[in-house]
Every structure is written in structure tokens, then in C-alpha cells.
Amino acid sequence: MYGDEATIRRILTGTGDTWAVVGLSSNRERAAYRVAQTLQRFGKRIVPVHPKAETVHGERGYASLSEIPFAVDVVDVFVNSELAGPVADEAVAKGAKAVWFQLGVVDEAAYERVRAAGLDMVMDRCPAIEIPRLGPERSRN
């Protein structure tokens, strides 16, 4: 398990409300689209990160993390496991406080690098599944 309950709760409730969602496009059929919508419903600001830099859910998109001109708290990663490590490294370089690899996204070496850099990290879990489990206080800081 890559992310205990305390880490999950800390990321969802105390790490901050600006979530860069890497792999988020306007494709309504993709899981990233629905997860980003759920994050918004629970008070998170989502920032789409995708090569097309599309506006999604009313938020301007960026082609990469490095192009975002403001701080992000959490980087939520919806890319294939083979591509996730470099995204995790970009998240560290960007100054994010936490990295979240979605269900099915696993890179143990990236997990170790992110943790060694002092960030919280969850891997192979989904915040849209975890956030409703938090109870009445939900995700608000």
C-alpha cells in the first residue's frame, strides 16, 4: 500500500486546495474528467495539465506543470505508469506539497524519490473514492 489513511486524510484536508490534474482533457469519457469534477465539488481548485492545454470545468489548462504561473498544492497524475516518474519529478521541482498517482499508476522508484524529497505521496488510489470517506468535515481546510 502506497499511502496510509493518515497521509490520504492529510493530503485531502490539510495540504491545500489547488490540484494540478496531469492528463486532464475535455474528454468526458476519461476518468480524469470525472475525478476533477468530484474534486471541484469538494472545494478543490483544479488546474488541467495536458499537451492540448484545454480549458476544462471552467479552469484554464496548461501544457505542463512548469507552465503554471502559480503554486500548486497537489499534483494528481493520470498518465501511464511509464510516464509518471518524470511527472513526479516535475511536481517536486514545481514545489508541490504532495503527489497523487491514480488507480493503476505505479512507479515505486518515483514514490521513493518523492518521499525522499519530503513530500507526501499516495499511489494507486483515487481521491474521488477517498474524499467522500472523510466524513462530515470532508475536504475543507
Side-chain angles (χ1 to χ4, degrees):
M1 169 96 39
Y2 301 97
D4 57 37
E5 295 304 315
T7 301
I8 290 168
R9 180 173 289 277
R10 186 168 50 252
I11 292 171
L12 291 173
T13 65
T15 298
D17 288 333
T18 302
W19 286 54
V21 184
V22 179
L24 175 58
S25 72
S26 60
N27 183 343
R28 295 172 182 262
E29 302 301 314
R30 303 294 305 222
Y33 188 89
R34 294 184 302 278
V35 170
Q37 198 168 37
T38 299
L39 289 168
Q40 278 187 321
R41 195 169 62 246
F42 281 92
K44 307 299 184 189
R45 176 187 183 191
I46 58 107
V47 182
V49 180
H50 189 279
K52 293 180 182 177
E54 299 173 298
T55 295
V56 183
H57 300 307
E59 294 286 348
R60 177 183 171 200
Y62 296 88
S64 68
L65 287 173
S66 64
E67 292 182 19
I68 300 171
F70 49 84
V72 296
D73 300 308
V74 181
V75 175
D76 188 7
V77 181
F78 277 93
V79 299
N80 293 330
S81 295
E82 302 79 43
L83 304 174
V87 175
D89 296 335
E90 279 187 77
V92 171
K94 176 73 179 159
K97 299 172 188 167
V99 176
W100 192 299
F101 281 9
Q102 283 294 325
L103 287 172
V105 181
V106 176
D107 182 330
E108 293 178 10
Y111 181 86
E112 294 304 323
R113 288 193 308 274
V114 168
R115 298 289 295 137
L119 283 69
D120 279 333
M121 183 162 178
V122 173
M123 186 162 65
D124 196 24
R125 302 284 287 265
C126 180
I129 292 170
E130 302 299 334
I131 207 166
R133 294 180 182 171
L134 295 177
E137 89 255 12
R138 299 210 280 238
S139 65
R140 287 301 176 151
N141 286 350

